[in-house]
Amino acid sequence: YTALNTLSLHDALPICAGKTTLAQGIGSALNVRGRVSSPTFIVARVHPSLAGGPDLVHVDAYRLTSLEDLETLDLDSSLEESITLVEWGEGMVEGISDNRLEIKVERPQGGLAGADASGITDLGGVDDGARTITLTGYGPRWEKALNQL
């Protein structure tokens, strides 16, 4: 695999656009150990590869307030050997890697959800599950990879 695998994943909306679901898909494709879940309260979690490929370092930067907070995680020490996925990384990952892929997940906001007579809320009218993904590559590796799409 190629080094310099930094991904920054952020929403156009505050929550529930699908960042963790995308992280789970990446973890599945990499065949990593453990359930990939949002590391909101522990900030960072390492999922070792079960197939001899790169580990997945999954970070949730939502609670971090500065680049210094992110630097205390020492992510740059594993950038060469892992896929580092940073949720809510916009404005922070720029300082740890010039070669990165930013993934923007957008979810349309829809109608209003109201409970029926039994108290059950049908969210089908609010969110149809569709997402728009925008990829922006920085540095020669990611610019080249995106040009090949």
Side-chain angles (χ1 to χ4, degrees):
Y1 60 93
T2 305
L4 304 172
N5 301 302
T6 305
L7 310 177
S8 173
L9 182 57
H10 51 275
D11 285 336
L13 298 169
I15 58 173
C16 300
K19 297 180 307 300
T20 300
T21 301
L22 182 58
Q24 290 168 340
I26 293 169
S28 178
L30 292 172
N31 192 21
V32 298
R33 185 178 70 211
R35 181 177 177 271
V36 176
S37 59
S38 180
T40 300
F41 297 104
I42 61 168
V43 183
R45 179 177 286 132
V46 177
H47 297 275
S49 173
L50 296 173
D55 296 340
L56 174 63
V57 179
H58 187 198
V59 179
D60 188 328
Y62 183 76
R63 296 186 185 283
L64 303 180
T65 59
S66 67
L67 178 58
E68 290 77 31
D69 288 346
L70 187 65
E71 288 174 348
T72 63
L73 299 175
D74 200 25
L75 297 175
D76 54 344
S77 68
S78 64
L79 287 178
E80 298 292 326
E81 303 87 34
S82 62
I83 302 289
T84 302
L85 177 63
V86 183
E87 294 186 29
W88 300 95
E90 188 174 23
M92 292 192 191
V93 296
E94 298 82 355
I96 64 168
S97 179
D98 292 331
N99 286 290
R100 67 188 184 282
L101 177 65
E102 289 187 1
I103 305 169
K104 183 177 181 182
V105 181
E106 294 179 278
R107 170 181 63 89
Q109 288 181 300
L112 301 175
D116 63 16
S118 66
I120 296 174
T121 302
D122 179 9
L123 297 178
V126 177
D127 184 354
D128 65 2
R131 303 293 188 264
T132 301
I133 307 291
T134 305
L135 305 175
T136 306
Y138 295 91
R141 178 185 189 270
W142 288 110
E143 289 171 358
K144 181 180 177 184
L146 289 179
N147 285 334
Q148 294 175 351
L149 292 180

